[in-house]
DNA sequence: ACCTGAACACCGTTCAAGT
DNA sequence: ACCTGAACACCGTTCAAGT
């Protein structure tokens, strides 16, 4: 679905620098359209994404886009692919780091990328991620988890658990904001949550009251590391290899 | 935000049975509006949700809804709250089951409920879940995880990891469908994924090729249990209590 | 091959007006 | 207090037509 037709590969960002175009129309390309769509959401948030807004940014009529993209839904899928294609898979094969460290490195980098394009996590929940970039992430994760000593089938299961934890956490994190970049800083968002939680009557919500400081940080990099680390602990426990037995 | 004004509590479903109303207008209520919204998405999927569609189902003009609900976004939040309010928190305190079993029971029941209202997981990613029903789920989970011997702060952290895993998994699962109930059966969805994965050239995607059967089941109750169980293993490892030391 | 004008069937939200 | 008519500024998508 995302690899339909002969698409020019390797010229990402070739023409994203001029937001509003001028001068002779040199003929659009599919990457121009995706670039423009990403620029639209990065400027106006997820609600700003529309065929008409993307067309306007390209200086073209709305229906022109249908030359390059089958539908708004297909365009959304391309945006997800574009961002996933920028994921640094090299982090999953860094020498001198354990499989655990490599996965944490990759997950944190991916989280940062997704927070930089806060409309994208929601789009990931909107259609299947079956493009080449999504598959490449899966390949890298299964590979890393296999090296941990896990049987390949369990490595694949563990891969999906990690994907769910990472994308789910980022999506819920963005959901607490308006999604318009730049997002409020983590400390501001924590403070907002703390303020909300502090107003709850402790009689009604004793557990929330007892854990305000932790729950205020649910959408933080700290909690992100704790959750992922705990999941990786569980994954490691399914390994028969010794703990020292890492690359 | 979801507890604004004096809302009549305890009469859920009081008037959802008549889809298209007739006869003397007895005056609407906020629960009627939320009922109608849920009915709209359960019939037409997430894309069918609109202020105008809900109003039409209630036999009323679109702008009438603004008497009961501040905006479309607020309505979406109410729909999430309604479904969360139906979660069976009793499963988190069932006698004779370990904390692990209770959490798994609850998570599987919640997954089933969300799959029955497939528009809802996406709505959960769209706005903060800060209503009373969402808080109650948090209370129950923190309580259960505390009884495991975990310090209350770690119980709160573990709670969020579980929430992310459960909601994230369901949201990604729904994303592979069109979201219109009833969803295709699990076996049909697995078969569709297997077919897609089987078409990939093994040279390009060796890991995917080696794990087709597992990856075909990524969106299954089987994988859901594996992921959650593995996470709970990691959580249990943060406990100092003995494994037998469960309620 | 690519872009447009025009049209169709929609949206969410507001405001003043009615009862 | 509740509902409406009318309006505003939008949507995605199609189709026939132009170049």
């Amino acid at each position: 679905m995302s690899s339909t037709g002969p698409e020019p590969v390797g010229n990402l960002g070739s023409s994203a620098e001029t937001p509003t175009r001028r001068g002779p129309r040199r003929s659009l390309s599919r990457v121009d359209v995706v670039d423009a769509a990403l620029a639209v959401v990065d400027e106006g948030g997820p609600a700003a994404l529309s065929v008409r807004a993307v067309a306007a940014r390209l200086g073209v009529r709305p229906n022109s886009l249908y030359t390059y993209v089958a539908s708004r839904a297909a365009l959304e899928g391309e945006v997800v692919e574009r961002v996933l294609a920028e994921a640094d898979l090299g982090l999953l094969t860094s020498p001198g780091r354990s499989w655990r460290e490599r996965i944490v490195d990759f997950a944190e980098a991916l989280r940062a990328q997704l927070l930089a394009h806060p409309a994208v996590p929601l789009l990931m929940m909107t259609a299947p991620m079956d493009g080449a970039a999504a598959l490449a992430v899966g390949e890298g994760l299964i590979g890393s988890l296999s090296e941990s000593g896990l049987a390949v089938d369990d490595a694949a299961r563990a891969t999906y658990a990690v994907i769910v934890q990472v994308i789910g956490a980022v999506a819920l994190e963005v959901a607490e904001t308006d999604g318009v970049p730049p997002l409020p800083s983590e400390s501001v968002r924590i403070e907002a949550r703390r303020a909300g939680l502090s107003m709850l009557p402790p009689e009604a919500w004793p557990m929330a009251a007892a854990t305000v400081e932790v729950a205020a940080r649910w959408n933080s990099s700290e909690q992100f590391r704790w959750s992922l680390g705990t999941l990786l602990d569980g994954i490691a426990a399914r390994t028969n290899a010794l703990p020292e037995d890492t690359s």
Side-chain angles (χ1 to χ4, degrees), chain A residues 8 37 40 42 64 73 77 89 105 114 125 128 135 157 187 197 202 215-216 241:
Chain A
V40 165
D42 284 351
S64 297
L89 292 174
D105 288 348
L114 292 174
M125 307 296 195
L135 283 166
R157 287 185 254 264
S187 58
L197 289 163

Side-chain angles (χ1 to χ4, degrees), chain A residues 197-221:
Chain A
L197 289 163
S198 301
M199 286 174 47
L200 298 173
E203 318 82 56
W205 316 105
M207 292 299 181
T211 59
V212 170
E213 285 308 312
V214 174
R217 287 175 170 78
W218 272 0
N219 291 318
S220 70
S221 48

Side-chain angles (χ1 to χ4, degrees), chain A residues 12 34-35 37-39 41-42 75-89 106 109-121 123-124 129 132-134 137 170:
Chain A
L12 303 184
V34 179
D35 284 345
L38 193 53
V41 297
D42 284 351
L75 175 57
E76 290 175 350
E78 298 277 0
V79 170
V80 171
E81 267 284 295
R82 156 81 93 265
V83 172
L84 278 181
E86 283 162 9
D88 186 0
L89 292 174
F106 175 76
L110 182 56
R111 170 171 177 265
Q113 261 172 62
L114 292 174
L115 290 178
H117 303 290
V120 172
L123 298 180
M124 290 175 153
M129 284 185 285
V137 170
V170 178

Side-chain angles (χ1 to χ4, degrees), chain A residues 100 104 107-108 111 115 165 169 173 186-187 189-191 194 211-231:
Chain A
R100 257 191 89 110
V104 171
E108 292 189 330
R111 170 171 177 265
L115 290 178
Q165 187 69 44
E173 185 170 355
E186 200 165 285
S187 58
R189 290 188 275 122
I190 290 171
E191 180 47 45
R194 185 178 7 241
T211 59
V212 170
E213 285 308 312
V214 174
R217 287 175 170 78
W218 272 0
N219 291 318
S220 70
S221 48
E222 205 180 329
Q223 169 76 46
F224 182 84
R225 270 191 300 274
W226 194 97
S227 296
L228 181 57
T230 303
L231 176 61

